[in-house]
Structures are given as C-alpha cells and as structure tokens.
Amino acid sequence: MTADIGVYGLGTMGSALALNLADSGFRVAVTNREVEWIDDFVTEAADLAGDIDAHKTLESFVQGITAPRTILFMIPSTKPMDDMIARITPLLSDGDTIIDGGNADFNDTRRRFQELEGTGIHFVGMGVSGGEYGARHGPSMMVGGSDHSWAQFKPMAEAMAAKFEGAPCVDHLGPDGAGHFVKTVHNGIEYADMQMIAEAYGLMRDVGQLDIAQMAAHFGEWSKGPLASYLIDITAAILRSVDSKTGAPMVDVILDQAGQKGTGRWTLIEALRMGISASTIEAAVGARSWSSEKEARMAAGDLLPDTSRGDAMPEADDVENALMAGRIIGHAQGFQLMRAASEEFGWGLNMPRIAEIWRAGCIIRSALLDDLAEVMAGDLPQGHVILAPAMAARLADTVPGLRRVVSAAVMAGQPVPALSAALAWYDTMALGRGTANMIQAQRDFFGAHGFARLDDAGKHHGDWVAL
Ligand code: 6PG
C-alpha cells in the first residue's frame, strides 16, 4: 500500500502536521534528514502509527507515495529548500507536487515556482498558521500554486484544516507566491496586534500601576466582547501564569527583548516597495528592534531627562476601544497591501475569502475577521475597508477611546508606537485637505519639481520670494 501524502521534515511543525493528516484518515509517508528522529516520531505517533510509513531513504520515501505525488516539506524555506528540490526532483514524475509549508519569502517561492514550471513538477508555497497546536489539531492554511496541485491536495488540506462553523480554513489563493505572501501579511498583522496589546499592558502596568490580577481580569473581560480573539485569550492566560521557580508572575521574569524571524520585516519591505502605508506593522517591527537595544535603553533611562507631564490612566473601556480601533486599522493596512500585491503580480486574491480562512486556526483569529469577511464581500468605497459603513461606524465608536489612550500615554511618557501610528493613519485618512501642498511647495522651491494647482490643470511653478 502506498501513502496519500509524504511529509519531509519531522521538526515540531512537520511532526504535528503528519499526525494531523494521519488523524484525518490519510496514509502518510514520513522521513527526515536526521534519520535517528524517525523512530522517535513513530513512537510518539502511538495509535496513529498504523497510518504512518516511516522511510529512512529519500528513494523509498518517494516510491512509497501514490502518484501523482503530494510531498509536504516542513524544513527551513531558505537554502535547505533549494537543496531538497535539487535532490528530490530527479526521483519525481510528471504531475507530482512539492509543497513548501514553511514561512518562506514569497520572492523565493515565485522563483522556485518559475524554475519548476514546464518540468512537469509542480511547486506550491503554503502558509501554515496556528503554531504547534494548530498544526496538530487544525491550522489555517494559505495555498499558492497550480490548479492541478490544488485538486490533488484539496481533500487532504480541507480534512486537516481548522473549521469555522464547519467550513475549512484553507483555500487556494492564487499562483506561485500568493499563499506565502498572504501568510507574510498575516504575520505582519500579527506583529501589529501583539504590539498594540503589549502597549495596552504597558500602560496599565506603568501608568495605571495595576497589579497582574487586575490586568488579567481586563484581558479576560475583553476576550468575551468585540475584541474576542486568540491573542487576547493568550494574553489573559499569560498574565495568570506563575513561574514555578520564583512564584512570581511568569511575565515578570521574562527579559523585555523580543525576537523576530523576519516575516514582519518582509511585510514592511514589500509595503515600502509598493508605496503602501503599513505604519502599524512598521511600528511593531521597529518596537521589536528597539527592544533588543536593552543595554542602550538601560543607560538612556538615566541619561535622558524625564519630560513626561502626567500620570492619568485612561478608563479600561478606552483601552479596550483603543485596541479595537488599532486592530481594525492594522487589518485594513494589511488588506491594502494584499490588494496592491494582487494587482502587481496578477494573483486575483479574494479578500473576503482570506478573511474567512483566518477566522479559525491561525494566530490572528478573531471576531473582527468574521465581520471583515462580511464587509469585504460588499462594495468598499475607494477600495478601503475602513470606508465601508459598518467599519466606519465601528471606528466612530472606538477612535475616541484610541485618541484618549494615545494622549494619556504621550503625556505620561509611555511609548505607544503602534497605537499612535494607527491614530495618525486614521486622522490622515479623515483629513480631506492634508498638508502635502507644503511638501510640494518646498520641492518646487528648492528643486523646481513643479506642482499641480487646485484651479488649473498641468504642471506649475511657484512665485517664490527670494530667501
Ligand atoms: C503563525 C505564526 C508563526 C511564526 C511565529 C513567530 O502564524 O503560526 O506567525 O508562523 O513563526 O509567530 O514569528 P516571529 O519569530 O517572527 O515572531
């Protein structure tokens, strides 16, 4: 008997996905570069081991999969992925599909897709979200590649995916890099949402001087309202967790220095390249970078004068609304970015569908995504989700809280870079008459770059006085 699918790479995510596939009724061939991991994995599979064929060579692994083959790689999406493509393609046949399920740079995915195009071997870039638990029990998956590969993989993908009210959270979003790009933007939104939550926590901890139980209670309360989401849930749980070594709140024993593997930064690089504002994501990536300058910050705390002018803690409702408004704006920026990329690469991304497959399984799953899926299925004035009446109404309800939170934080000297970026974007968008006329005047003054007039078509120059 041959397997329905092969999984190469038995690290945390690969093992969990292989077990999920077996649990979903499929026969799974597995192998790993370090062959000694394979037996441990089979032992860990316990009752599911009967549906798993372990292989110790690449040749027997490939031969053990039913053709046309679907082979999921869960390995670093950098050089190891290129090396494995080179090693495995001579063993494959026409119609076989290689899936890269890692967090790949979509530019690499586009290149790999193009390199294999016309060889008979198909390449799929698939974003997988949900961490280890999601991978094992139902992730959200964003698939990019050919229709042929999708037809082959779809029954397995739908069986193993997270379900939102019974609907699988996976879809074929477009060709080549579409799936990995959407996953990258998912992570950019994840960064922004996490940063805004961290800012709300900082405000409560440092300005409000709330104790850990009070903060946990607020997040616990918010997780039952419009802010309902996985990230708010885990924040409440984090604040309730105690370090067994010291008895202190778990969060208090963690160094305030954030790691990042790169997807947030990639989101931002693409945003800048396409000229799309993703200021909330930029703030979140920047905040992680600043956090890593721990020693400089420790020194600066003594050297830089304290210029703060207040210690007013906003109402808890304002903080909740600030997070809600910030979340809407972070998502709106992410969707604008996907819209621009879809146009540039001709992907035909279906925005409401993306919101739908993010409603369960992934890290940013939230009640908001269900609302966004509905709103985006209708007409969006100027293509902007924040201009849809339902979203504009929610911003009208929540931005006043965001404004009070940002003002209080600014006066108290408490950094809220992502929340203030969200507010600045909102205020800029809401200002029909902006200030770029001054920028144009300056450009014309020093460089004769010209400007458009309000009352006349064409390019004009100013009647500038001399300095
Ligand atoms: C997911 C996550 C995941 C990511 C981690 C860590 O959707 O399951 O986005 O893919 O690897 O969140 O990312 P950073 O190390 O960049 O924070």
Side-chain angles (χ1 to χ4, degrees), residues 13 102-103 127-132 140 142 183 186-188 190-191 194 258-265 288 361-364:
M13 292 296 280
N103 273 335
V128 179
S129 179
E132 183 183 1
S140 166
M142 295 136 254
K183 173 59 168 59
H186 164 284
N187 282 27
E190 171 186 303
Y191 272 50
M194 290 168 72
Q260 50 181 323
K261 296 208 194 81
T263 43
R265 193 180 302 138
R288 287 199 193 189
C362 67
I363 302 295
I364 62 169

Side-chain angles (χ1 to χ4, degrees), residues 235-323:
T235 305
I238 286 166
L239 292 168
R240 288 197 312 270
S241 303
V242 175
D243 175 36
S244 55
K245 188 172 167 197
T246 57
M250 199 64 236
V251 74
D252 287 349
V253 302
I254 301 177
L255 182 68
D256 55 330
Q257 222 170 339
Q260 50 181 323
K261 296 208 194 81
T263 43
R265 193 180 302 138
W266 293 341
T267 312
L268 197 57
I269 290 170
E270 291 309 316
L272 290 175
R273 195 187 56 72
M274 288 188 278
I276 296 290
S277 164
S279 55
T280 55
I281 300 169
E282 199 279 328
V285 173
R288 287 199 193 189
S289 306
W290 298 335
S291 81
S292 67
E293 293 183 46
K294 176 74 177 170
E295 281 174 20
R297 286 188 291 117
M298 294 295 285
D302 296 330
L303 297 173
L304 295 177
D306 177 2
T307 60
S308 60
R309 290 289 176 274
D311 56 6
M313 177 63 200
E315 298 291 324
D317 283 357
D318 281 347
V319 182
E320 181 183 15
N321 282 329
L323 287 175

